[in-house]
Amino acid sequence: MNIGIALLAGLLFGIGLVISGMTDPAVVLNFLDVAGAWDPRLAMVMGGALLVTTPGFYLARKSGKTLTGAALQIPTRSDIDAPLLVGSAMFGVGWGLVGLCPGPAVVALSGGATAALGFFASMAAGMAIFSIYRKMRPVG
């Protein structure tokens, strides 16, 4: 049942990305171009996501469990360390240069957009490098 719910959530997320145009890097890049051809669609997508997730997180925290009845696991770490800062900066720079982030890149690839292939390969390489780094320097 958990796999079915995950599949349904992923499909819904992917369909939402396609409908909103977030798999088109030009939409994201134009959102970041506030002095030029600014496109507000990304702000609307983020606002819509907040409208849906805020009550969802409130209800989940209140009940203490997921929709399937499993215990709710919310991260408790709140420290800001170098890997978080470096990873955030890399994510932001990559997003700003290419106009894609992981979710839309996967959806774009599944739709046959070969332009997302370079981003996806770079993302996979970054994840592999971080995995090696974590093995060399385990967390606390």
Side-chain angles (χ1 to χ4, degrees):
M1 180 161 156
N2 289 341
I3 291 174
I5 290 174
L7 179 63
L8 182 62
L11 285 171
L12 183 61
F13 180 69
I15 290 168
L17 288 172
V18 170
I19 290 171
S20 64
M22 294 301 112
T23 57
D24 180 3
V27 173
V28 173
L29 295 174
N30 286 339
F31 171 76
L32 298 173
D33 185 11
V34 293
W38 188 67
D39 185 345
R41 284 188 282 177
L42 180 58
M44 292 180 208
V45 169
M46 287 187 217
L50 282 172
L51 286 173
V52 172
T53 58
T54 300
F57 271 103
Y58 172 79
L59 293 172
R61 281 182 186 261
K62 191 173 178 180
S63 74
K65 43 185 152 165
T66 67
L67 288 175
T68 61
L72 186 63
Q73 298 179 22
I74 297 177
T76 57
R77 281 187 65 180
S78 61
D79 57 318
I80 298 174
D81 58 2
L84 176 65
L85 292 174
V86 171
S88 298
M90 289 174 63
F91 179 90
V93 168
W95 194 44
L97 289 174
V98 181
L100 285 171
C101 64
V106 170
V107 174
L109 275 177
S110 68
T114 56
L117 198 54
F119 172 84
F120 194 81
S122 298
M123 180 181 71
M127 291 167 74
I129 291 167
F130 182 76
S131 178
I132 293 166
Y133 169 80
R134 271 292 178 225
K135 287 179 184 169
M136 291 171 38
R137 297 189 70 183
V139 176

